[in-house]
Amino acid sequence: MTVTLPPDAEGITEAARLLATGELVAFPTETVYGLGGDARDDRAVARIYEAKGRPSFNPLIVHLPDLVAVERIAHVGPKARMLAQAFWPGPLTLVLPLRDGAGISPLVTAGLETVAVRVPEHPLAQRLLRAFGGPLAAPSANPSGRVSPTQARHVLEGLAGRIAAVLDGGPCAVGLESTILLADPEPVLLRPGGLPVEAVEAALGVTVATGGDAGKPTSPGQLASHYAPEALVRLGASEARDGELLVGFGTVKGTLTLSDSGDLVEAASRLFQTLREADRLTGPGGRIAFAPVPETGLGRAINDRLRRAAAPRG
Ligand code: TXA
Ligand code: MG
């Protein structure tokens, strides 16, 4: 059951309480409705991918109430600071270097060393972020491949029964996702969106290069090579061959495991840390074998990521 929460103090308190227990709550921003979960909680983030039925782990945007909160998790360079001061709160997302020990789930950043952050302007988003008191990972609140929702009703059409609640703030003013930028050292547009690129150019006094749509081949392609482990990876293994470290799943037991009980949410939540741990244990030139993971639900995204890890390196 997905409850609709009213846009008042009680609704916000309940939304923050649900989020603190690892549940998912859709909430309005000025761009589109976001599907929020605690960005520090691996399982909550895994459930976001599950609820959307995303076939791959694209990195998610982290929402925070202000620049001070952003600086606790990311390094803000000079151009990023100018843009933050000019356009936050608002429909601008900045991709910034992640701070060590920021506490953001590696599933949010897809194992990258950068994090996409945004300070939304919508008063309900602001009140929710302050009531929750932590970073919220939030992609658009629609099933993968469908259009982004700009009303609570749209969220329910796609996700009813898959999330705990939706905070009803009426229609979104912008109706288009945020503009995504890499600001430093030189600005690159990763996704055009609610903030016109001309406004960014005027604020910085420089031309902005176009890096393609952050959600399309350019960045996921780069992500794949970014996150290849050093070890060689074999998939669909029922047991370890000589010199291999086996990562188990369900009935296939390994030195490490994605999920002993064969739970796909748990497996997704542990995926990036397990890849890192296996890589560390085997070292350069080592070999890692992964037990088969079913190609259903979150298993599709897990297998997509594992296939990238196993792909031949150029
Ligand atoms: O308006 C919006 O931005 C909405 C509302 C809810 O805030 N959110 C949204 O999130 O559109 P989502 O998850 O649908 O879009 C995230 C985009 C993806 O295309 C992803 O590739 C890019 O952000 N992204 C996230 N982290 C990144 C990173 N570290 N480097 C490059 N691109 C990144
Ligand atoms: Mg989207």
Side-chain angles (χ1 to χ4, degrees), residues 17 79 82 122 132 175 180 223 252 266 275-276 280 283:
R17 188 194 67 78
K79 290 197 177 73
M82 284 174 71
H122 197 293
F132 175 61
I180 305 181
L223 304 185
V252 177
E266 181 181 40
L275 269 170
R276 261 176 219 281
R280 195 181 61 74

Side-chain angles (χ1 to χ4, degrees), residues 33 95 100 104 134 139 144 171 224 237 241 251 265 273:
Y33 274 75
V95 173
D100 282 343
I104 299 297
S144 183
R241 293 182 187 153
T251 53
V265 172
Q273 72 199 48

Side-chain angles (χ1 to χ4, degrees), residues 13-305:
T13 303
E14 177 60 5
R17 188 194 67 78
L18 287 165
L19 289 165
T21 64
E23 297 286 344
L24 305 184
V25 177
F27 64 96
T29 79
E30 68 279 17
T31 58
V32 299
Y33 274 75
L35 174 52
D38 187 341
R40 301 160 297 193
D41 179 343
D42 294 325
R43 273 177 174 265
V45 179
R47 286 200 199 97
I48 292 177
Y49 289 101
E50 181 187 52
K52 283 182 69 82
R54 269 206 183 172
S56 64
F57 295 119
N58 286 333
L60 305 175
I61 297 173
V62 173
H63 296 65
L64 289 161
D66 52 34
L67 178 58
V68 173
V70 169
E71 295 198 270
R72 283 192 210 110
I73 67 158
H75 297 281
V76 180
K79 290 197 177 73
R81 187 172 303 279
M82 284 174 71
L83 294 173
Q85 279 159 359
F87 300 115
W88 277 351
L92 171 68
T93 294
L94 294 171
V95 173
L96 302 171
L98 187 62
R99 265 188 204 283
D100 282 343
I104 299 297
S105 165
L107 210 50
V108 167
T109 56
L112 294 170
E113 280 162 12
T114 54
V115 62
V117 288
R118 156 160 144 71
V119 174
E121 183 169 28
H122 197 293
L124 282 178
Q126 279 287 333
R127 287 169 70 189
L128 179 61
L129 284 165
R130 287 172 202 279
F132 175 61
L136 284 182
S140 52
N142 53 282
S144 183
R146 306 258 294 273
V147 295
S148 298
T150 53
Q151 294 185 29
R153 176 168 67 75
H154 302 161
V155 174
L156 292 172
E157 279 165 19
L159 297 175
R162 309 182 70 106
I163 62 176
V166 55
L167 185 60
D168 189 350
C172 303
V174 177
L176 187 71
E177 286 94 342
S178 62
T179 299
I180 305 181
L181 272 182
L182 202 73
D184 295 288
E186 295 307 325
V188 179
L189 179 68
L190 298 177
R191 179 178 78 184
L195 179 71
V197 71
E198 291 81 358
V200 172
E201 293 183 325
L204 293 177
V206 296
T207 310
V208 174
T210 299
D213 184 335
K216 297 245 155 69
T218 352
S219 85
Q222 288 159 358
L223 304 185
S225 56
H226 249 280
Y227 203 69
E230 291 192 77
L232 288 176
V233 174
R234 180 168 74 90
L235 304 183
S238 50
E239 55 190 24
R241 293 182 187 153
D242 243 10
E244 276 181 345
L245 180 142
L246 180 64
V247 179
F249 177 84
T251 53
V252 177
K253 304 298 173 196
T255 309
L256 302 175
T257 184
L258 288 175
S259 169
D260 236 349
S261 61
D263 173 3
L264 289 169
V265 172
E266 181 181 40
S269 75
R270 295 172 46 83
L271 180 61
F272 288 101
Q273 72 199 48
T274 304
L275 269 170
R276 261 176 219 281
E277 176 70 359
D279 217 17
R280 195 181 61 74
L281 289 173
T282 55
R287 289 183 293 142
I288 307 170
F290 278 85
V293 172
E295 191 73 16
T296 54
L298 270 185
R300 289 187 301 142
I302 294 170
N303 284 323
D304 168 78
R305 175 51 63 182

